Amino acid sequence: MSGTLPRLGVALRLALRELRGGLSGFYIFLACIALGTGAIAAVNSVSRGITDAIAAQGQTLLAGDIRFELNNRLATDQERAFLDGFGQVAVSTGLRSMARLPDGSQQTLAEVKAVDDAYPLYGTMETEPKAPLASLLAEDGGRFGALVAPLLLERLNVKVGDELLLGSIRLRISGTIVAEPDALSEGFGFAPRLLVSQQALQASGLIQTGSLVEHAYKIKLNDPSIRNTLGPRANREFPAAGWSIRTADRAAPSLTENIDRFSQFLTLVGLTALIVGGVGVANAVRAFLDAKRTNIATFKCLGAPAFVVTLIYLVQILLIGLLGIAIGLTIGAVVPFAAFAFLREFLPISTDATVYPHALLLATLFGLLTTFAFAVLPLGHAREVPATALFREQSFDQTKLPPWPYLLSAGIALASLAGLAIFTADDRRIAVVFLAAVAGAFVLLRLVAAGISALARRSPRVNSPALRLAIGNIHRPGALTPSVVLSLGLGLALLVTLALIDGNLRRQLTGAMAQNAPNFFFVDIQSNEREGMVETIKRLAPDGKVVQVPMLRGRILAFNGQDVAKMTIPAAGRWVLRGDRGITYAQNAPEGSSIVEGSWWAPDYTGEPLVSFSEEEGRELGLKLGDTVTVNVLGRNITAKIANFRKVEWRSLSINFVMVFSPNTFRGAPHAWLATLMDSSASPETEGEILRAVTSAYPTVTTVRVKDALDIAGQLLGQLATAIRASAAVALIASVLVLAGALASGNRARTHDAVILKTLGGTRSMLMRAFSYEYMILGLATAIFALLAGGISAWFVVSNIMKMEASFLPDVAVMTVVGALVLTVGIGLLGTWRILGQKAAPVLREL
């Protein structure tokens, strides 16, 4: 031990002394580490900043300390008295309905929200013009005031002061909404906001038996300390209330969860870029040690132990790695400030960005582990080279494995890297699959490189000297084949995967899904209006098919008597339990559904309540035949036994439900109806006539044009795809850096080859053709791998996760091949041109 510390001190001193020579040869090393570390730090910093802002502004975003939501019914007198006992209560009511022009010429779907005089309890409702909310929504001359989102003005081509029809009343547009404090907690809406008073909503006639209405009771607590205990107490005192409870510290749980999932995905993409960059680290370290052969030989000849020599260069590499990490952390620390300035246009974030140490620490750990994991193997090779071989100018032998301690160290570092990624992931199953795919891709790429070399070695002799030289360069000792294939393959495969997923989704939205989807959904149809409305539709679309089903809303409370709030639910099935679900009852199995397990009940069944559950969702929730499901409907808890599982085609956009109950379950319960119209021959003009006729004759019925919903979904998908492609581009940039580094590390050998060939009579044009052929062959092989790997990955995601029909897109294939060729040939020739300009004499004197 006494001799170890002095040796460590000597190694550190010599390492620092050698670094005085500068960072030549390490610029790509620095760029790779900085890029991957910066991506991880930036993604996690922005994610942490948004979630912290949501938590810090919880009261404002929720417009209360705690929120109780009831669907399709108001709170009873006892429930309201209970809520009033804890503080000031503000009531808001939300539903979707049609906003119409008085002359019936235009109409559009609107997210209607009615508020009382207490709203908002926290935050400020910003309007234009600025005036008290009560005065803007007040009744004047028989017309209630209304505030609208600017988008609604554009859709109906109206302005402030004009009139609108909502249900059976006239509204006066008194202003526009600039900022709604609790918009984020209300969830995503497919239509522009229309804000009215509670009195206006009651007069509109929109709230009827079975209407899909959400009543939110928000409380400003007299004693904020009871915020987290009030919900459980409310459930104990009113077990059948069926309300959904949310506190200010979880003001927007869906948004927070989606941000966490998206940041996890982007973190994994950043980790992929870092791992790809690790190949560049290995190349740079190998080239650095190759250039230090004389120094290493001198150290060994002077009696330096092998581990001291290794430690000298390990310290240098780690110090340079820390510099790259510092650059990446600087990027990660700055990005949130720019991101917040942009995100304020879309999210109500009033807090300022700051530095997020947890995110920076995570990125630092990823960077250090990657640097060490990919640097230790080249160091192991250098350690085993004897001084005599180094003095003879022989390079490191990469065909032999380094000693087992170095292999073990690299394995532990990579395992730690994977463990850190899995441990910090929101969905660890996805992280495991992603990392397994990356590891598999690395192995496959090594096999691809070996296969290309084997094919080149066994290829028949060709007449062209340039092509013959190119083929020889591919399989000769020290060839660039493994580095080029590995560096480009993973980045291109990731881009192909994302491009194919995006293309398939767009194709579904604009192609098969749009063609097979119904023209309209009609919601909140009252029983006494059903026949008349169907006759109206049939008159305008005689060839159309109208499907009608009873519609209720219910929230799942328990499985087999166990509270779902206390159960560990897989991430894939959580959406079924989030809020209320549409449910129905039926004598016969729904059209288009197929029973995969169990059997349907008899048409005249009168026994205990039964339910048919969607197979996929039931499997994700861990349910089986005979299990019981407790659902709260209209304030009543109903327990039904699972009689069968059925396959549901969600992508058809037809009427589908997770749960279909036996008719006796809801005998006598008030409810509305849901209907769809399918008419593939209907023109846009006919659809417009149907929309106007139904909206005018039945103003309380909500009509949703499916094409409009698909257009909105397409816009959202486009924004999401842009963000994903931008993040995937980080991995591709890392691949390009590694490719450039691989070519640079081979420049010494290429220079020697070029000089000898020129001395033997080879022309510059012939050598350029040879190098071009070599890079084209490698680029083409890498592109083919990327297409195969990316195509299989995209097929798996689209077919097995998204449950859609997957197809191969030729345009993506062509772009990938062209991109790979441009990158390999372009970058390769840029470096080669300088090599071909070397004078022969100086190089020959060094051989």
Side-chain angles (χ1 to χ4, degrees):
M1 184 69 180
S2 59
T4 302
L5 290 178
R7 289 177 177 177
L8 292 175
V10 170
L12 179 61
R13 188 165 60 253
L14 291 173
L16 294 175
R17 187 172 296 170
E18 278 208 6
L19 281 177
R20 295 174 185 172
L23 301 177
S24 177
F26 276 100
Y27 296 115
I28 290 177
F29 177 119
L30 286 171
C32 290
I33 294 298
L35 183 66
T37 304
I40 294 173
V43 166
N44 284 276
S45 293
V46 172
S47 171
R48 187 65 177 267
I50 295 174
T51 53
D52 285 355
I54 291 174
Q57 299 172 236
Q59 286 180 324
T60 300
L61 297 178
L62 194 66
D65 291 307
I66 189 169
R67 178 183 189 267
F68 292 79
E69 181 184 306
L70 291 168
N71 286 279
N72 309 328
R73 73 176 186 90
L74 291 164
T76 64
D77 292 340
Q78 293 82 3
E79 291 167 345
R80 181 60 193 266
F82 173 82
L83 300 179
D84 286 335
F86 296 98
Q88 185 180 7
V89 178
V91 182
S92 60
T93 304
L95 73 160
R96 291 186 178 94
S97 188
M98 306 302 294
R100 321 180 315 273
L101 295 183
D103 60 5
S105 59
Q106 291 288 339
Q107 54 280 309
T108 186
L109 185 67
E111 297 278 352
V112 180
K113 179 177 179 179
V115 299
D116 61 9
D117 293 337
Y119 175 87
L121 297 174
Y122 292 99
T124 304
M125 185 73 188
E126 297 182 22
T127 63
E128 181 60 41
K130 295 180 180 179
L133 185 61
S135 65
L136 292 171
L137 302 182
E139 183 181 5
D140 182 15
R143 298 178 304 166
F144 288 95
L147 293 169
V148 301
L151 180 59
L152 191 142
L153 298 180
E154 294 178 15
R155 289 188 176 180
L156 294 179
N157 193 26
V158 292
K159 60 183 182 301
V160 174
D162 290 346
E163 290 187 346
L164 291 177
L165 298 181
L166 180 68
S168 57
I169 63 169
R170 283 178 178 261
L171 298 174
R172 180 191 73 262
I173 302 177
S174 56
T176 58
I177 299 171
V178 177
E180 185 181 349
D182 55 345
L184 199 62
S185 65
E186 298 289 342
F188 174 76
F190 276 98
R193 172 71 77 204
L194 173 60
L195 191 75
V196 297
S197 65
Q198 287 284 357
Q199 295 81 0
L201 183 60
Q202 290 297 326
S204 69
L206 292 175
I207 301 181
Q208 302 185 44
T209 302
S211 297
L212 302 182
V213 183
E214 297 177 350
H215 300 280
Y217 296 81
K218 302 177 182 182
I219 308 175
K220 184 177 184 179
L221 295 171
N222 296 328
D223 180 9
S225 65
I226 67 170
R227 183 182 67 185
N228 294 322
T229 59
L230 181 55
R233 178 178 173 182
N235 285 328
R236 287 195 303 269
E237 296 199 19
F238 300 94
W243 43 32
S244 175
I245 304 172
R246 196 187 307 167
T247 53
D249 57 345
R250 298 188 72 251
S254 296
L255 176 63
T256 301
E257 184 175 333
N258 288 331
I259 289 172
D260 289 341
R261 288 181 178 178
F262 194 55
S263 66
Q264 175 189 339
F265 171 78
L266 296 182
T267 298
L268 290 173
V269 172
L271 179 59
T272 303
L274 195 56
I275 294 174
V276 171
V279 180
V281 169
N283 289 337
V285 171
R286 187 163 50 247
F288 171 70
L289 294 175
D290 190 48
K292 294 291 183 179
R293 292 185 319 278
T294 303
N295 297 32
I296 295 173
T298 303
F299 285 138
K300 288 189 173 184
C301 289
L302 293 176
F307 91 90
V308 172
V309 176
T310 302
L311 190 60
I312 290 172
Y313 293 102
L314 177 61
V315 168
Q316 293 185 51
I317 291 164
L318 290 179
L319 289 174
I320 296 172
L322 286 173
L323 177 59
I325 291 170
I327 296 171
L329 295 182
T330 303
I331 296 171
V334 171
V335 164
F337 293 90
F340 268 45
F342 171 76
L343 290 172
R344 282 194 179 95
E345 299 181 12
F346 305 96
L347 298 175
I349 299 174
S350 60
T351 56
D352 293 326
T354 184
V355 176
Y356 302 94
H358 179 271
L360 300 183
L361 176 61
L362 181 65
T364 300
L365 291 175
F366 277 126
L368 283 174
L369 288 171
T370 302
T371 301
F372 180 79
F374 285 90
V376 70
L377 293 181
L379 284 168
H381 280 119
R383 181 187 187 278
E384 293 301 299
V385 178
T388 55
L390 289 170
F391 279 127
R392 287 197 296 268
E393 294 289 328
Q394 293 181 9
S395 298
F396 305 141
D397 184 7
Q398 301 296 321
T399 60
K400 293 173 57 179
L401 291 175
W404 70 264
Y406 293 85
L407 290 174
L408 180 62
S409 298
I412 292 174
L414 289 173
S416 301
L417 194 66
L420 183 63
I422 295 169
F423 178 76
T424 56
D426 178 64
D427 190 330
R428 293 177 181 176
R429 181 181 63 87
I430 293 178
V432 170
V433 172
F434 192 94
L435 291 173
V438 172
F442 262 80
V443 173
L444 285 175
L445 285 167
R446 296 292 298 191
L447 294 176
V448 168
I452 295 172
S453 298
L455 289 174
R457 192 176 299 112
R458 292 169 174 78
S459 64
R461 181 180 178 86
V462 294
N463 294 325
S464 169
L467 184 57
R468 189 162 62 247
L469 180 61
I471 295 173
N473 284 340
I474 290 174
H475 67 80
R476 66 179 175 80
L480 296 176
T481 303
S483 296
V484 172
V485 172
L486 193 59
S487 60
L488 265 187
L490 198 58
L492 284 176
L494 183 60
L495 273 184
V496 170
T497 300
L498 296 175
L500 286 174
I501 292 173
D502 176 44
N504 275 278
L505 287 176
R506 290 182 178 277
R507 183 179 180 185
Q508 288 288 336
L509 287 174
T510 59
M513 187 178 291
Q515 293 173 3
N516 298 327
N519 303 70
F520 290 101
F521 274 88
F522 303 97
V523 187
D524 286 346
I525 308 169
Q526 298 301 306
S527 297
N528 60 350
E529 298 176 331
R530 187 160 58 100
E531 292 184 4
M533 196 195 78
V534 172
E535 289 179 3
T536 300
I537 297 172
K538 283 290 189 181
R539 176 172 50 83
L540 296 172
D543 298 327
K545 178 182 178 182
V546 180
V547 178
Q548 314 165 58
V549 296
M551 176 77 168
L552 300 94
R553 300 286 291 183
R555 186 164 65 94
I556 298 176
L557 299 180
F559 293 133
N560 298 316
Q562 184 179 358
D563 187 353
V564 295
K566 300 177 181 178
M567 297 174 63
T568 301
I569 305 296
R574 289 176 193 164
W575 71 271
V576 180
L577 308 179
R578 190 180 297 125
D580 281 38
R581 299 256 68 78
I583 57 178
T584 189
Y585 61 85
Q587 286 186 336
N588 303 307
E591 183 179 347
S593 296
S594 56
I595 307 300
V596 295
E597 188 178 2
S599 58
W600 199 262
W601 44 82
D604 55 351
Y605 177 78
T606 58
E608 67 174 316
L610 300 176
V611 62
S612 172
F613 217 93
S614 169
E615 177 204 16
E616 181 180 355
E617 284 67 31
R619 184 175 61 251
E620 291 169 348
L621 295 169
L623 300 176
K624 60 184 183 301
L625 286 181
D627 286 349
T628 61
V629 181
T630 301
V631 182
N632 183 276
V633 181
L634 297 174
R636 289 179 55 206
N637 288 347
I638 297 172
T639 300
K641 184 173 71 174
I642 297 178
N644 61 74
F645 290 100
R646 70 191 192 287
K647 185 175 182 179
V648 178
E649 291 291 340
W650 298 107
R651 63 185 179 186
S652 68
L653 296 184
S654 57
I655 299 178
N656 287 307
F657 294 88
V658 173
M659 295 175 288
V660 178
F661 289 81
S662 56
N664 62 312
T665 305
F666 301 112
R667 183 173 289 115
H671 61 77
W673 289 75
L674 171 68
T676 61
L677 168 65
M678 172 70 79
D679 186 357
S680 58
S681 64
S683 64
E685 293 75 17
T686 301
E687 289 185 345
E689 291 179 13
I690 295 172
L691 182 59
R692 285 189 293 271
V694 172
T695 303
S696 299
Y698 304 97
T700 60
V701 173
T702 301
T703 305
V704 180
R705 190 166 178 254
V706 175
K707 183 180 182 301
D708 296 336
L710 290 176
D711 289 343
I712 294 173
Q715 293 172 9
L716 293 174
L717 178 65
Q719 295 171 358
L720 186 63
T722 300
I724 292 175
R725 282 196 295 267
S727 63
V730 173
L732 185 61
I733 293 172
S735 297
V736 172
L737 288 173
V738 175
L739 174 62
L743 296 174
S745 66
N747 278 351
R748 180 173 175 272
R750 289 297 174 103
T751 301
H752 289 171
D753 293 345
V755 167
I756 292 174
L757 289 170
K758 287 170 67 176
T759 303
L760 295 175
T763 64
R764 174 176 291 195
S765 62
M766 188 273 287
L767 293 177
M768 285 295 292
R769 288 198 306 274
F771 290 138
S772 297
Y773 291 152
E774 177 187 356
Y775 299 140
M776 288 180 67
I777 293 171
L778 293 179
L780 186 60
T782 305
I784 292 173
F785 165 81
L787 289 174
L788 291 174
I792 293 172
S793 301
W795 167 83
F796 178 81
V797 172
V798 174
S799 298
N800 294 277
I801 297 178
M802 298 181 175
K803 306 299 180 184
M804 295 181 177
E805 183 180 349
S807 58
F808 189 77
L809 305 177
D811 56 334
V812 175
V814 172
M815 290 177 61
T816 303
V817 172
V818 172
L821 293 178
V822 168
L823 286 174
T824 52
V825 176
I827 295 175
L829 292 184
L830 282 175
T832 302
W833 185 260
R834 184 179 63 84
I835 291 173
L836 295 179
Q838 293 283 335
K839 298 290 185 181
V843 176
L844 291 173
R845 282 196 294 267
E846 293 180 3
L847 294 177

